[in-house]
Amino acid sequence: MSSSTLDKAGREAPLTLDEPAPKVLSFWDQSAFWANLGVSLFAFSGAYTVLAPNTQGTAQISIAAGILATIIGTVVGGLMLGAAAVPGARTGKPAMMLLRGLFGGKLSYLPTVLNIAQLIGWGTFELIVIGDAADELFHGGPHWLYVVAAGVLTTILTIWPLGSVRLLRRFVTVGVVIALIWFYVQFFRASLPDLRSNPGPRGGGPFGVDWNLFWIATDAALAVSISWVPVAADYTRHARSARSAFGAASGAYAVTQIVAYVLGLFALALATGDGGPYAPFLQASLGALFFFVFVVRETDQSFANVYSTAVSIQNLAPRIDRRILSIGLGILITLLALRLNMANYFGFLGLIGSVFVPLLGVLVADFFLRAKGKWNTGQDAPSRWGMVFAWLLGLSVYQLVNPGDAGVWTDFWVRVRDTLHFTEQPWMSASLLSFLAAVLVAWLVGRVAALRKPT
């Protein structure tokens, strides 16, 4: 094999988990990647979950309170994302392979399966939202064609993941920034008179906030950031340093998600009953042109989900070529997107938060405080049931505070709350409390294990 061929192969992600990960992504490569993930059509169409965070979907907090909840939730979520990025950069291992060190080789299969399920769900939702946005952009047309085209582009990007990241930096990010600035100018001019005269529904606190709903709204914003936590190391294992991985993931992502969500809140303030969720974008001057940039760029979200799904599957079967997995997964999410809808988006976010926020808490306590970055990530890593217990306890705390809207699952936790005579308080954040509970219990478990270990 020639040296040029070796260089090209070394600059792309390995095909199996048996191969080392090349450290080729600069701070700016990573910043462009995370910044683009922070700007999503979900932020525009899903901003309502911040304004109307209760399960009935009735608006209860003001635009100002929604902006505050978005900022708090996204900043905290960004820091969590940055913390999840560091282990991948330090070890060169993808996210689910790292969990072998946290839970053990065999026990890592449980969160891996959950992660595969949530990533398939996210990938499907992304194609749905692309199809819906294209419908509005082109005033109807063959919806199936939009979904299939997005699925094909997603699959192509997934086969060359590191090349796709560098492509985002060189070309896509500039167009996205210009489009954001353009819509901000248009929306701010149009919505400022309305915001002055009608600040939104009144509640029990500053900004017209019902503080019980405020923290639920904050968790809704945080949950979007958290959805990337279990995949962060899949990309930061290619980072040139842990510092650049943390800075890009926590900073670039948080900034652009706040920008996108606030833009979505402005759009909601301008929306009328005559159009869909993207109508304010399309009604703006040159809106169709700049909105087209967002629609095409959204495929980087589905690409990231599909690629991480393939890498997660490799934790179960390390020698399967990720390109084969990527093609199969691209077909699967395309078929699902043609059959499903966005009806259960809010409940889906709640489930993601309850599973992966405490999982991150356990990881932070064990990787940074106990192991100091030294983990056994082999398939033969011993089972660590104490860490599983800490994770499940954190998950329980989340569900007790905010059982969400997930059918039978929610009904079960409501019955548990009634049995325990537990009532959530306005100051309680499900994400923060579950994270702190998982950190504390995992740290205590680690200390007890260290004391019992023979010297």
Side-chain angles (χ1 to χ4, degrees):
M1 184 180 292
S2 67
S3 60
S4 61
T5 303
L6 283 170
D7 180 67
K8 290 179 180 179
R11 292 180 60 81
E12 198 37 271
L15 300 181
T16 68
L17 289 191
D18 295 334
E19 305 169 43
K23 299 282 192 176
V24 297
L25 295 183
S26 69
F27 171 77
W28 296 111
D29 289 330
Q30 296 173 80
S31 293
F33 173 70
W34 290 113
N36 276 281
L37 291 185
V39 180
S40 171
L41 293 175
F42 273 118
F44 307 143
S45 62
Y48 190 69
T49 63
V50 176
L51 289 185
N54 61 331
T55 57
Q56 289 77 32
T58 55
Q60 296 289 334
I61 64 176
S62 67
I63 294 291
I67 292 174
L68 181 61
T70 296
I71 292 173
I72 293 174
T74 302
V75 169
V76 174
L79 292 174
M80 292 181 175
L81 182 60
V86 170
R90 286 189 181 176
T91 64
K93 307 297 183 184
M96 294 300 104
M97 190 174 179
L98 282 171
L99 294 186
R100 297 175 184 177
L102 185 60
F103 295 134
K106 294 295 188 291
L107 289 181
S108 72
Y109 293 169
L110 173 59
T112 297
V113 170
L114 293 175
N115 193 43
I116 291 169
Q118 73 108 358
L119 288 173
I120 291 174
W122 272 117
T124 300
F125 281 152
E126 289 293 351
L127 295 193
I128 292 172
V129 80
I130 290 171
D132 291 346
D135 278 339
E136 290 198 41
L137 177 63
F138 298 113
H139 306 290
H143 178 84
W144 66 268
L145 182 60
Y146 304 144
V147 172
V148 170
V152 170
L153 181 56
T154 294
T155 305
I156 293 172
L157 293 173
T158 306
I159 293 174
W160 294 281
L162 298 187
S164 299
V165 170
R166 290 188 285 265
L167 179 68
L168 289 174
R169 176 190 172 185
R170 293 173 182 170
F171 303 106
V172 179
T173 306
V174 174
V176 170
V177 170
I178 293 173
L180 285 171
I181 293 173
W182 181 263
F183 281 121
Y184 256 95
V185 171
Q186 300 298 317
F187 287 1
F188 190 75
R189 287 177 175 174
S191 63
L192 188 58
D194 290 338
L195 289 174
R196 285 174 174 170
S197 61
N198 182 24
R202 299 293 178 182
F207 303 101
V209 181
D210 178 332
W211 286 104
N212 190 32
L213 292 173
F214 177 82
W215 287 113
I216 298 177
T218 301
D219 284 338
L222 191 152
V224 180
S225 304
I226 287 296
S227 68
W228 296 111
V229 161
V231 306
D234 297 342
Y235 308 95
T236 60
R237 63 177 172 148
H238 302 290
R240 292 176 183 170
S241 71
R243 179 178 296 182
S244 69
F246 177 84
S250 61
Y253 182 88
V255 168
T256 54
Q257 180 169 297
I258 290 171
V259 168
Y261 258 80
V262 172
L263 186 63
L265 293 174
F266 278 137
L268 282 174
L270 295 172
T272 65
D274 299 330
Y278 308 116
F281 293 91
L282 299 176
Q283 292 166 0
S285 176
L286 298 180
L289 173 63
F290 288 107
F291 190 68
F292 179 74
V293 174
F294 290 150
V295 174
V296 175
R297 186 225 51 82
E298 190 72 11
T299 53
D300 69 352
Q301 307 268 340
S302 49
F303 137 66
N305 285 305
V306 171
Y307 172 67
S308 284
T309 308
V311 175
S312 296
I313 292 174
Q314 286 183 318
N315 187 47
L316 309 177
R319 291 189 175 89
I320 297 182
D321 190 316
R322 63 168 175 78
R323 296 171 299 185
I324 297 173
L325 292 172
S326 296
I327 293 171
L329 290 166
I331 294 172
L332 174 62
I333 66 167
T334 301
L335 293 175
L336 290 174
L338 291 171
R339 298 296 302 271
L340 303 178
N341 57 53
M342 290 284 291
N344 295 319
Y345 176 60
F346 184 77
F348 184 64
L349 281 180
L351 278 177
I352 289 171
S354 68
V355 171
F356 292 108
V357 167
L359 178 60
L360 177 63
V362 177
L363 184 148
V364 166
D366 197 64
F367 186 85
F368 293 101
L369 302 181
R370 184 200 64 84
K372 308 296 184 184
K374 297 178 181 178
W375 265 348
N376 176 4
T377 57
Q379 286 184 295
D380 61 346
S383 297
R384 305 179 66 203
W385 288 99
M387 294 300 156
V388 175
F389 171 75
W391 174 34
L392 295 179
L393 183 67
L395 184 151
S396 299
V397 170
Y398 192 109
Q399 290 296 323
L400 287 174
V401 176
N402 179 16
D405 182 22
V408 176
W409 176 259
T410 296
D411 294 339
F412 168 77
W413 285 104
V414 169
R415 289 194 298 270
V416 172
R417 293 206 314 183
D418 293 341
T419 301
L420 298 175
H421 302 289
F422 174 83
T423 302
E424 76 276 15
Q425 300 301 313
W427 54 267
M428 291 181 176
S429 164
S431 295
L432 295 180
L433 288 176
S434 66
F435 178 81
L436 293 174
V439 168
L440 177 61
V441 175
W443 180 80
L444 289 173
V445 168
R447 291 290 296 172
V448 170
L451 292 173
R452 296 176 59 184
K453 188 175 181 180
T455 57

